[in-house]
């Protein structure tokens, strides 16, 4: 993107501020939705097959739908934020949702927030402030065809092809084998697909904004193609995010998802929209330092949170005593004692099939 002319600086700063405020509001709603959805998933898992092993009982759980509506509100605010501000500004502010979820999890999910966790929250806020102050100012493309031109550049096509290839490998090969034990699988799918979601959503948002301003973009096939890509990617993200939340602790999912998703989104945005073009080295360095500060805060916050007791107690509930009857070689001709034998009622189920699907 070409840098804005000097006389447009005030308008671009106002647009960035609007985008930042919308991103903060979005983080608040999304942070709440993590907790509400988690409670809904727990209820659904207690009544049937867990989402982490392929169950869809959560679709009948009202609390999960409340979380979905809350997340939808947050995503709409985030969607509108991309109309006004660059992705390098909007995306890192998602860390604020981690603070919201951490505080609420402390009170509602019994996932304790330690004193060092408070320091992690402060680091996230400081880093987010640095990013806001040094965010690049970009001009809005004049049409969706201009965005299409950016999306079909060789550099971004290479990124998109690589992202699709990695996602397919994770979904088809890694998820069935390692999804229940390695958090990177589910979160990796969400993050890689998420970077493409942001690019397509930003394109759709700009098209809507231009249409509202009187420059109709509905007649271009690129607008509908970007919308289709957005919807497809969002559905994939929701499915695997539900699996990650149901399988692993919220304190683990949130920071890892943030770090991977934000890093890949900033990379994709830098390739497609060239948001750092025309910025000074000091401004770019400040943005990177701000992001690293936020990332450090998420790591500190995660490292001081307790593990989810529900999952571990569910998977590893202590079994009743198991008795063994051993018949020595010298007993081949003798009678077995009746109290040495196990009756049919003494046998216990050692494993449950749904944990190994």
């Amino acid at each position: 993107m070409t840098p804005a002319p000097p006389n447009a600086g005030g308008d671009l700063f106002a647009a960035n501020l609007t985008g930042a405020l919308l991103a903060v509001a979005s983080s608040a709603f999304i942070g709440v939705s993590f907790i509400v959805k988690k409670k809904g998933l727990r209820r659904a898992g207690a009544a049937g097959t867990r989402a982490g092993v392929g169950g869809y009982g959560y679709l009948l759980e009202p609390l999960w739908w409340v979380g979905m509506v809350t997340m939808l509100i947050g995503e709409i605010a985030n969607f509108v934020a991309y109309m006004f501000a660059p992705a390098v500004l909007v995306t890192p502010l998602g860390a604020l949702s981690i603070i919201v979820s951490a505080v609420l999890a402390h009170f509602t999910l019994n996932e304790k927030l330690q004193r060092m966790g408070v320091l992690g929250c402060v680091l996230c806020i400081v880093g987010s402030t640095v990013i806001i102050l040094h965010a690049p100012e970009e001009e809005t493309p004049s049409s969706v065809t201009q965005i299409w031109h950016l999306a079909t550049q060789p550099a971004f096509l290479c990124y998109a092809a690589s992202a699709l290839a990695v996602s397919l490998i994770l979904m088809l090969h890694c998820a069935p084998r390692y999804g229940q034990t390695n958090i990177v699988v589910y979160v990796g799918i969400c993050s890689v697909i998420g970077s493409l979601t942001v690019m397509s959503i930003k394109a759709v948002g700009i098209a809507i904004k231009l249409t509202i301003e009187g420059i109709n973009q509905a007649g271009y096939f690129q607008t509908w193609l970007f919308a289709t890509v957005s919807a497809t990617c969002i559905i994939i993200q929701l499915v695997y995010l539900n699996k990650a939340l149901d399988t692993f602790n919220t304190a683990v999912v949130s920071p890892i998802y943030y770090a991977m998703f934000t890093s890949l989104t900033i990379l994709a945005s830098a390739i497609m929209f060239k948001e750092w073009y025309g910025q000074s080295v000091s401004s770019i360095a400040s943005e990177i330092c701000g992001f690293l500060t936020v990332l450090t805060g998420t790591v500190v916050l995660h490292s001081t949170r307790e593990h989810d007791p529900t999952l571990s107690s569910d998977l590893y509930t202590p079994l009743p005593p198991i008795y063994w009857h051993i018949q020595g070689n010298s007993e081949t001709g003798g009678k077995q004692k009746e109290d040495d034998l196990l009756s049919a009622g003494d046998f216990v189920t050692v494993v449950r099939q749904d944990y190994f699907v």
Side-chain angles (χ1 to χ4, degrees):
M1 302 291 296
T2 57
N7 58 358
D11 292 337
L12 293 178
F13 176 78
N16 273 8
L17 181 59
T18 301
L21 292 175
L22 286 168
V24 171
S26 168
S27 295
F29 281 104
I30 291 175
V32 172
S33 74
F34 267 108
I35 304 304
V36 178
K37 287 174 62 180
K38 179 79 171 183
K39 292 179 73 68
L41 288 170
R42 283 184 176 181
R43 286 188 184 181
T49 305
R50 296 165 44 243
V53 292
Y56 292 95
Y58 59 87
L59 295 176
L60 301 177
E61 175 57 50
L63 191 59
W64 183 85
W65 282 107
V66 172
M68 277 300 301
V69 172
T70 306
M71 174 172 277
L72 179 62
I73 296 173
E75 293 296 348
I76 290 174
N78 199 51
F79 173 79
V80 178
Y82 282 112
M83 296 183 188
F84 294 93
V88 71
L89 167 61
V90 175
T91 306
L93 293 180
L96 301 179
S97 66
I98 299 176
I99 298 177
V100 175
S101 64
V103 173
L104 292 179
H106 175 81
F107 294 104
T108 62
L109 297 179
N110 199 30
E111 297 174 4
K112 300 302 181 182
L113 178 63
Q114 309 298 333
R115 292 182 178 179
M116 286 298 293
V118 177
L119 175 61
C121 293
V122 173
L123 288 173
C124 289
I125 295 173
V126 171
S128 298
T129 303
V130 172
I131 292 173
I132 292 174
L133 293 176
H134 295 87
E137 298 175 346
E138 64 170 9
E139 287 186 297
T140 302
S142 58
S143 69
V144 73
T145 55
Q146 185 178 351
I147 304 175
W148 178 257
H149 173 71
L150 297 173
T152 53
Q153 295 176 104
F156 186 75
L157 287 177
C158 289
Y159 174 84
S162 300
L164 289 175
V166 170
S167 299
L168 288 174
I169 292 173
L170 289 174
M171 286 187 285
L172 300 179
H173 177 76
C174 299
R177 295 171 174 82
Y178 313 112
Q180 293 295 299
T181 57
N182 193 331
I183 191 174
V184 175
V185 176
Y186 290 154
V187 176
I189 295 170
C190 293
S191 301
V192 175
I193 294 296
S195 66
L196 299 179
T197 304
V198 171
M199 298 303 102
S200 55
I201 280 181
K202 185 173 178 64
V204 174
I206 292 173
I208 293 175
K209 183 182 178 182
L210 291 172
T211 301
I212 294 174
E213 293 174 351
I215 308 174
N216 188 12
Q217 302 295 306
Y220 297 98
F221 80 91
Q222 292 94 336
T223 301
W224 302 105
L225 181 59
F226 283 129
T228 302
V229 172
S230 299
T232 303
C233 291
I234 288 172
I235 292 172
I236 295 174
Q237 278 185 270
L238 286 177
V239 170
Y240 285 95
L241 182 58
N242 281 329
K243 289 179 179 290
L245 285 173
D246 189 59
T247 307
F248 303 98
N249 192 326
T250 307
V252 181
V253 174
S254 295
I256 295 178
Y257 179 46
Y258 169 80
M260 295 180 66
F261 170 70
T262 304
S263 300
L264 291 172
T265 299
I266 290 176
L267 175 61
S269 183
I271 294 174
M272 179 173 171
F273 290 99
K274 298 180 174 61
E275 291 175 340
W276 283 341
Y277 180 80
Q279 273 201 296
S280 64
V281 175
S282 61
S283 294
I284 296 176
S286 297
E287 292 168 38
I288 294 175
C289 289
F291 172 64
L292 292 177
T293 302
V294 174
L295 186 57
T296 302
T298 61
V299 173
V300 172
L301 184 57
H302 157 58
S303 64
T304 57
R305 296 273 297 280
E306 294 180 347
H307 295 292
D308 189 353
T310 303
L311 179 62
S312 58
S313 62
D314 185 34
L315 289 174
Y316 304 106
T317 302
L319 294 172
I322 299 177
Y323 301 95
W324 300 89
H325 173 69
I326 302 176
Q327 181 178 355
N329 293 333
S330 60
E331 297 178 353
T332 53
K335 292 184 178 181
Q336 300 175 356
K337 295 182 180 181
E338 291 183 2
D339 55 358
D340 285 338
L341 295 174
L342 290 172
S343 65
D346 291 328
F347 286 98
V348 296
T349 302
V350 179
V351 295
R352 281 165 46 184
Q353 180 181 2
D354 61 339
Y355 287 134
F356 296 90
V357 175

